[in-house]
Amino acid sequence: MREPLCSIIVPIYNVEALLPRCIDSLIGQQYQNIEIILVNDGSTDSSEAVCREYLNRDSRIKLLNKNNEGVSSARNSGIALSKGEFIFFVDSDDYVNSDFCSVGVDGFLNHNADIVIFGFNNIFSDKNKILKKHCRKSRVISKEEALKGTIIDGYINSLPWNKAYKRTLFSNIKYPEGMIFEDVGTTYKIFDKANTIYITSNITYNYEIRNGSLSNKWWCNDKKINDFFTIRCEQLQFINNNYPSLIKLSYATTGFVAIMAHVFLKEKNEIIDNWIDSEKKMLIHSAFPYSILFRFFYFAPKLSKKIIKRIF
């Protein structure tokens, strides 16, 4: 069996304490033909020094230092620097199992995949709890099933790091820079370009959830809310044009973000409020159970707003 080069891209920003664990898990891969691209996104702690220490220890490691421009820019820069046939992403505060790359390569070579989706562990470090997310049976899935997962997260989702990709899929796709939820705005486009998507039951990635993680309580930050709504609207338009069977589900999740924005934005967004008014018919007939929430919201907006605030 041939051994194609795999590129592992690691965006890094101020993670000096956790970075060694991440890099150690990468250099310990069973599959050896890899390049590890450390993208230091303007860290102000000693992350660069940690990277340089490993750079001197393993010739497969490359270090790219750049100004702080966010995780999307870091991933895009890593892709541009990479030489591998296949692309993997790892967040610098996470770590992977030793079969991370070998499971991906098996999916590419033995199942003719363009994308391989892995199972992963959600590790709640403050609660000493692990939640496993994976499918029960490895299989090839349809684009529709994959895209459904980008609308309603489960073991199929928009996350960039529990997947491996043929690098050719990124030929005309970049992560949107300056946006939060950049993965939600990108993964569905990559799924659409793929011919074969293979999901494995193997758990290979460990995602540590800590207080202060970027994605925690997105509805409490105006930029997060506005970015999320913008990205969901773009996805909704794409689904409407290309996968009409998923349109009710896409309206449901976009509408949910819009309602949360209406309730929690500190500075009201007239575009979102107008969208809620104009899309009333589509929202109340969207996917269950979201449609129930929307009907209640339109029927009793003040009461529903109080209840939503109490719940969230």
Side-chain angles (χ1 to χ4, degrees):
M1 182 184 295
R2 70 187 185 92
E3 296 187 350
L5 178 65
C6 295
S7 299
I8 308 172
I9 298 168
V10 186
I12 297 166
Y13 182 71
N14 289 355
V15 286
E16 58 183 9
L18 296 173
L19 188 54
R21 181 184 65 177
C22 175
I23 301 176
D24 284 339
S25 74
L26 300 179
I27 63 179
Q29 288 298 296
Q30 298 169 6
Y31 186 83
Q32 294 288 299
N33 192 22
I34 62 175
E35 61 173 5
I36 302 167
I37 301 175
L38 307 177
V39 184
N40 178 34
D41 191 40
S43 295
T44 56
D45 64 358
S46 63
S47 292
E48 181 183 351
V50 174
C51 291
R52 291 198 178 279
E53 179 183 343
Y54 279 94
L55 188 66
N56 295 328
R57 288 167 47 183
D58 195 315
S59 61
R60 299 173 299 173
I61 295 177
K62 299 178 180 178
L63 173 60
L64 173 63
N65 285 309
K66 60 186 293 298
N67 294 330
N68 178 236
E69 297 173 300
V71 67
S72 288
S73 176
R75 288 198 189 107
N76 292 336
S77 298
I79 293 169
L81 182 63
S82 66
K83 303 296 183 185
E85 185 176 342
F86 305 118
I87 302 290
F88 297 69
F89 297 107
V90 176
D91 282 357
S92 53
D93 51 354
D94 298 332
Y95 58 101
V96 298
N97 297 345
S98 62
D99 60 350
F100 179 58
C101 289
S102 58
V103 170
V105 171
D106 173 74
F108 290 123
L109 299 187
N110 294 326
H111 301 277
N112 197 32
D114 299 307
I115 298 173
V116 179
I117 305 174
F118 310 105
F120 61 97
N121 291 319
N122 275 334
I123 301 174
F124 298 86
S125 55
D126 57 337
K127 298 178 182 178
N128 195 27
K129 177 182 177 183
I130 297 177
L131 176 64
K132 298 180 184 295
K133 285 202 171 185
H134 64 106
C135 66
R136 293 184 178 181
K137 183 179 179 181
S138 302
R139 66 191 192 278
V140 172
I141 62 174
S142 67
K143 287 186 183 183
E144 285 78 7
E145 184 178 355
L147 284 161
K148 182 179 179 180
T150 70
I151 301 171
I152 299 291
D153 279 356
Y155 55 80
I156 304 173
N157 48 55
S158 295
L159 299 169
W161 39 253
N162 73 319
K163 302 169 184 68
Y165 317 79
K166 278 188 176 178
R167 69 171 297 109
T168 53
L169 295 175
F170 289 96
S171 58
N172 295 306
I173 294 176
K174 289 187 175 183
Y175 287 95
E177 299 186 10
M179 299 284 285
I180 302 174
F181 299 107
E182 75 293 333
D183 48 358
V184 179
T186 306
T187 302
Y188 72 88
K189 299 174 185 176
I190 301 174
F191 279 159
D192 178 63
K193 287 185 67 175
N195 292 316
T196 303
I197 303 169
Y198 179 73
I199 184 166
T200 174
S201 59
N202 295 72
I203 294 175
T204 66
Y205 195 98
N206 300 288
Y207 172 56
E208 190 162 355
I209 301 173
R210 303 178 313 280
N211 290 331
S213 292
L214 185 64
S215 57
N216 289 352
K217 294 188 176 181
W218 52 266
W219 54 88
C220 295
N221 179 286
D222 277 16
K223 176 169 174 53
K224 291 181 184 180
I225 296 175
N226 286 317
D227 282 359
F228 204 7
F229 177 75
T230 298
I231 284 172
R232 281 298 193 196
C233 281
E234 291 174 355
Q235 183 183 31
L236 175 64
Q237 186 62 51
F238 175 86
I239 294 295
N240 186 52
N241 292 337
N242 298 283
Y243 297 90
S245 64
L246 298 175
I247 191 63
K248 285 189 175 183
L249 190 60
S250 189
Y251 258 107
T253 53
T254 306
F256 178 73
V257 175
I259 296 299
M260 294 293 279
H262 176 80
V263 172
F264 287 104
L265 275 176
K266 299 176 185 65
E267 292 188 20
K268 294 302 179 183
N269 187 323
E270 187 175 334
I271 294 175
I272 295 177
D273 288 342
N274 289 340
W275 187 88
I276 292 172
D277 290 338
S278 66
E279 300 295 340
K280 177 179 179 180
K281 183 177 180 179
M282 294 301 298
L283 292 178
I284 64 176
H285 291 98
S286 64
F288 180 86
Y290 292 90
S291 57
I292 304 301
L293 167 65
F294 300 139
R295 291 174 191 222
F296 180 54
F297 174 81
Y298 286 115
F299 178 75
K302 291 183 178 180
L303 178 59
S304 61
K305 187 173 181 179
K306 288 181 180 179
I307 293 174
I308 289 170
K309 281 188 172 183
R310 183 172 297 178
I311 293 173
F312 293 95

